[in-house]
Amino acid sequence: MVLAFTLFFGDWTFGSYYYKKYVMLLNHIMSTYKHPSVFISNGILMGAGAGFFMNGRFRIVTENTVFAMPETQIGLFPDAGASYFLSRLPGFYAEYIGLTGTRLDGIEMAACGLATHFVSSKNLRKLEESLNKIDTDDPSIIDMVINQHAENPSLREGCSLLKSDTIDRCFSEGSVEEIITSLEQEVAVDQKDWISAAIKTMKQASPTNLKIFLRSIRQGRNQTYKECIQREYIMFSHAMRRTITGDVFESVAAKLIDKTGSPKWDPPTLAQVTDEMLDKCFKPIKDESWLHLNLPSEKNIISEALISARL
C-alpha cells in the first residue's frame, strides 16, 4: 500500500506520509495504551502486521502461526518496530531472523519470547469465550485465564533455537561480509542444510538493505521503542526517496511487472555499499516537504487515535 502511494502519485512524500500516519503512529498508540491488550494470531505474521502484533501485552499464537521478517529479499529492511522487538531476543537471534528472513512457527515464537502464550487453534473459541466473561483489566487475572487454555509444546527437531551456539558465533560478527564468511567456514566443516540456506538467502538479498538492517538492529539494542520507530521512519523515508538505492522499487518491478523474479540490486555487491552511504539513511531528510515523526504524548494519545481513525 505504501509503495502504491509512492508509485501512483510519483512523489516519495506520499508513501512517507502514509507510513508515518498509519504504521508508526498506530504502533506508538498501541505501545502506549494503558489497558492490557490481547492479540491472537492464527495465521501469517509478517512486516507491519508483525509490528502491530508485538505491541500486545498478551500475544497468543497457534500451530498455524507463521512469523517472518523477509524484507531484505524485497529490497527493504525489517521495520515497524523490528529494531526494538527483535533486538530484545536472546543472543544474536535477531540478526539471524532479519538477515535471512527465516520463518518461525508458533512454538518457536513462544519459546524465544515473540509470543507470550501458545494455544491450540481448536481451543481459540473457548479462550475468547473465557476472556469475554471477565470484566477486569488486571493483567494477572487475564494471564490466569489465558493459561487455562495455553500449552507448552516441545520444539520440533531442527528448530533454529536449538542452533543458538552456531547462530551466536556467526551472527555476532561486525559486518554482513564477516557474517557470511563465518557461515561459510562453518558449512565447510559441517555440511548443514540450514547454514547453506542462510548463506544462499543472504546472497540473494539486497546488499544495501542487509547492511541497513544490521546497523539498525545494533542501534536498536540501546534505544527505547519510541527512538527505534522514529529512526525507522527516517530510514523508510530515505527508501521511498531513493536516497542511496531504489532496490524496493526494483523488486516490485521484477516480481510484479516484468515478472523476471530476479531484481537487479543497486549497488549489486556488499563491498560497494559504504559506511558513508549508510550514514545518509540514518539522518533526517533536509526537505521542506518531508514531515518529521512527532509522536504524541500519552495524554494526547486517544485524541490522536481518533483523528487517525477518521482519515
Side-chain angles (χ1 to χ4, degrees):
M1 182 63 76
V2 177
L3 289 176
F5 265 74
T6 304
L7 291 170
F8 180 79
F9 290 104
D11 186 340
W12 65 273
T13 58
F14 279 96
S16 178
Y17 173 79
Y18 178 91
Y19 183 77
K20 168 190 174 183
K21 202 70 178 178
Y22 296 101
V23 179
M24 289 318 205
L25 180 57
L26 182 55
N27 268 312
H28 176 64
I29 290 170
M30 291 190 292
S31 71
T32 54
Y33 192 57
K34 293 183 178 179
H35 298 284
S37 53
V38 179
F39 290 175
I40 300 174
S41 170
N42 190 33
I44 296 174
L45 278 175
M46 293 186 184
F52 295 152
F53 179 80
M54 291 306 301
N55 285 298
R57 173 69 174 271
F58 300 99
R59 302 181 300 279
I60 301 169
V61 293
T62 75
E63 74 278 6
N64 298 320
T65 307
V66 177
F67 173 94
M69 301 297 283
E71 284 82 356
T72 59
Q73 296 294 308
I74 59 170
L76 201 55
F77 48 84
D79 59 337
S83 63
Y84 180 84
F85 63 77
L86 286 184
S87 68
R88 268 60 185 175
L89 296 179
F92 291 86
Y93 202 47
E95 281 85 341
Y96 172 62
I97 291 175
L99 291 173
T100 68
T102 191
R103 297 189 174 196
L104 306 182
D105 60 29
I107 299 174
E108 292 171 301
M109 289 185 68
C112 73
L114 287 172
T116 59
H117 298 81
F118 179 93
V119 176
S120 176
S121 60
K122 65 182 180 182
N123 294 325
L124 286 181
R125 184 174 295 277
K126 292 180 181 179
L127 169 62
E128 292 175 6
E129 291 173 351
S130 298
L131 289 170
N132 287 332
K133 290 177 182 178
I134 61 175
D135 184 19
T136 181
D137 60 0
D138 185 334
S140 63
I141 295 177
I142 296 172
D143 185 53
M144 179 183 68
V145 171
I146 296 174
N147 278 322
Q148 291 173 355
H149 304 272
E151 303 171 27
N152 188 26
S154 301
L155 292 167
R156 59 181 170 79
E157 185 178 353
C159 165
S160 56
L161 281 171
L162 301 176
K163 309 158 186 168
S164 59
D165 288 346
T166 303
I167 287 174
D168 288 349
R169 184 164 56 251
C170 295
F171 287 86
S172 61
E173 295 287 358
S175 69
V176 178
E177 292 95 331
E178 290 171 329
I179 290 172
I180 292 177
T181 297
S182 182
L183 288 168
E184 289 174 335
Q185 291 172 346
E186 288 283 341
V187 83
V189 176
D190 191 350
Q191 295 286 335
K192 291 184 177 179
D193 291 341
W194 75 270
I195 302 178
S196 298
I199 296 170
K200 180 179 179 181
T201 302
M202 291 176 65
K203 288 187 174 181
Q204 291 176 338
S206 162
T208 301
N209 286 283
L210 287 174
K211 288 197 170 186
I212 287 176
F213 170 73
L214 186 62
R215 179 182 289 198
S216 177
I217 204 70
R218 300 274 165 92
Q219 289 187 8
R221 284 197 172 93
N222 299 308
Q223 293 179 322
T224 64
Y225 182 78
K226 185 176 181 179
E227 290 172 331
C228 283
I229 62 174
Q230 286 177 320
R231 172 177 44 73
E232 288 177 8
Y233 168 65
I234 293 172
M235 294 157 55
F236 187 87
S237 296
H238 279 292
M240 294 298 97
R241 187 171 177 257
R242 311 181 201 205
T243 299
I244 66 171
T245 183
D247 276 358
V248 65
F249 299 98
E250 166 63 19
S251 177
V252 170
K255 295 179 180 180
L256 299 180
I257 300 174
D258 302 332
K259 298 188 183 300
T260 63
S262 301
K264 297 179 180 178
W265 305 127
D266 181 28
T269 67
L270 288 166
Q272 291 172 288
V273 183
T274 66
D275 287 339
E276 290 73 22
M277 293 168 64
L278 295 177
D279 289 343
K280 295 178 182 179
C281 296
F282 287 77
K283 294 178 181 178
I285 296 173
K286 295 180 179 180
D287 188 316
E288 292 182 358
S289 60
W290 182 70
L291 300 175
H292 288 267
L293 178 62
N294 296 315
L295 298 172
S297 62
E298 287 191 21
K299 67 178 182 179
N300 294 325
I301 203 74
I302 299 300
S303 61
E304 285 285 342
L306 293 173
I307 292 171
S308 295
R310 295 192 195 105
L311 294 176

